[in-house]
Amino acid sequence: MKIINFGSINIDHVYEVEHFVQPGETLNSESYTVFGGGKGANQSISLARAKAKVLHAGQVGEDGIWLKEKLQKSGVDTSLIKTVDTPTGHAVIQVNKDGENAIIIHGGANRTLSDDTIDEVLKSAQNQDFLLLQNETNAVESILLKSKDKNLTVIFNPAPLTDAIKNYPLELVDIFILNEIEAQTLTNENSTDAILHAMQKLYPKSRIILTLGKSGVIYADNTRQIKVPALKVKAIDTTGAGDTFIGYFLAELSRGSEIKKCLEMGVKASALCVTRKGAADSIPKLEEITAF
Ligand code: RIB
């Protein structure tokens, strides 16, 4: 069984700032670094570092070949990553004194996926494989529809949340992994209980994992809820923490572990991730989690 991650690959331009730039303000940054990133690529690297079998499908431009190599070196199967004429997607990321971030993305090559490419990727999917999607590529709706008859476990991380998502065939999603802001927008509810109730009413067959930052994570399905608290660490840069959680959670799930263990692995991995700078580069290895 493998995990196919059909997702974005970005060049992250990261600026450390005193505070997030305000409307009309010009702000000096304290440092500037280029990192590998993209929610898709980060999640694939997290899966690979957690020792899951992951095949990343996506696109880069000529300027992003180093990212494909980075994924490969991390243990990701990159045979379905195409190099196309459009420049690689990128992100402009501000990181403030508290380690929080503010991110602008430009889709670039991530948003030029064709029908042929989608068909080719899905051809490599076998019964019971996991299919992981985020919302940084084009054609998410089409991938969901095309995956319907393949008997895959479909996991959707609706990030970034856009208005269009509400029209996707979300009833085809087996597992949602989303943060509070995404869930609030999707359900028009505010409290955690109301959000979970609304999600289960909207998607009764799906399992929901709601990440709550410093308050931990909640899993909910038709029969039960499981909450795991966050670990207390000094956050330097929270970029990629959600992606790290997803990779470790799914790697453990693909090994057939109990949900509580899967959540705990994700929580530990993301706690370590926020103590380091960058997205992909800050994702810990499995040995580090075991020692943590
Ligand atoms: O989740 C973090 C990621 O969001 C960054 O790496 C950036 O590329 C954006 O996609």
Side-chain angles (χ1 to χ4, degrees):
M1 195 273 264
K2 64 181 175 306
I3 300 168
I4 301 174
N5 182 10
F6 214 141
S8 60
I9 303 170
N10 286 342
I11 299 171
D12 286 356
H13 299 272
V14 181
Y15 302 85
E16 283 186 293
V17 289
E18 169 67 37
H19 59 265
F20 296 144
V21 70
Q22 300 297 301
E25 183 184 19
T26 301
L27 185 66
N28 259 318
S29 62
E30 284 156 24
S31 75
Y32 164 64
T33 319
V34 174
F35 288 108
K39 294 186 196 308
N42 297 340
Q43 291 175 23
S44 280
I45 290 180
S46 180
L47 281 159
R49 295 208 172 139
K51 304 233 186 296
K53 190 174 175 204
V54 52
L55 190 158
H56 191 99
Q59 297 186 156
V60 292
E62 292 286 341
D63 57 337
I65 291 174
W66 65 276
L67 290 166
K68 184 175 169 180
E69 287 164 2
K70 192 177 181 70
L71 281 156
Q72 199 175 9
K73 275 191 199 133
S74 302
V76 177
D77 179 341
T78 57
S79 54
L80 287 178
I81 297 180
K82 279 191 173 165
T83 306
V84 294
D85 274 346
T86 319
T88 304
H90 72 265
V92 174
I93 305 181
Q94 301 175 59
V95 177
N96 73 10
K97 288 272 174 233
D98 297 322
E100 297 165 324
N101 61 50
I103 305 181
I104 298 172
I105 53 169
H106 176 74
N110 296 315
R111 298 200 59 86
T112 61
L113 295 172
S114 68
D115 267 348
D116 286 351
T117 301
I118 296 167
D119 292 342
E120 189 189 330
V121 170
L122 290 178
K123 220 189 280 165
S124 70
Q126 283 161 354
N127 212 5
Q128 297 191 335
D129 280 350
F130 282 12
L131 176 68
L132 171 61
L133 302 169
Q134 312 78 29
N135 197 34
E136 285 188 343
T137 64
N138 66 313
V140 174
E141 184 176 6
S142 161
I143 300 169
L144 280 169
L145 288 169
K146 283 175 187 265
S147 68
K148 195 174 166 208
D149 303 321
K150 288 249 160 191
N151 198 21
L152 307 173
T153 300
V154 177
I155 303 110
F156 184 40
N157 169 222
L161 202 119
T162 53
D163 283 342
I165 284 188
K166 294 188 181 172
N167 299 320
Y168 292 177
L170 295 181
E171 66 284 357
L172 301 176
V173 173
D174 296 291
I175 304 176
F176 286 93
I177 308 182
L178 70 179
N179 68 26
E180 230 175 348
I181 296 171
E182 289 148 6
Q184 282 168 350
T185 315
L186 202 56
T187 60
N188 295 321
E189 296 290 353
N190 281 315
S191 74
T192 306
D193 282 348
I195 287 170
L196 289 174
H197 184 72
M199 285 292 291
Q200 284 178 306
K201 215 169 154 194
L202 284 165
Y203 313 110
K205 292 189 196 136
S206 313
R207 296 189 267 171
I208 321 287
I209 291 115
L210 187 61
T211 58
L212 303 167
K214 286 180 186 154
S215 302
V217 57
I218 301 184
Y219 165 92
D221 64 24
N222 281 334
T223 57
R224 59 188 177 151
Q225 279 193 13
I226 300 170
K227 185 163 184 184
V228 170
L231 299 171
K232 282 203 181 83
V233 287
K234 167 106 184 72
I236 290 175
D237 180 357
T238 54
T239 314
D243 302 327
T244 303
F245 172 86
I246 291 172
Y248 269 85
F249 171 82
L250 286 180
E252 209 52 48
L253 192 70
S254 70
R255 290 192 270 269
S257 300
E258 275 297 309
I259 292 291
K260 188 152 188 281
K261 179 165 186 216
C262 304
L263 296 171
E264 285 167 352
M265 286 299 279
V267 163
K268 278 188 192 172
S270 54
L272 268 177
C273 163
V274 302
T275 63
R276 303 163 180 178
K277 291 184 183 178
D281 286 343
S282 66
I283 300 168
K285 299 209 169 86
L286 188 58
E287 304 77 70
E288 296 176 276
I289 310 293
T290 321
F292 186 43

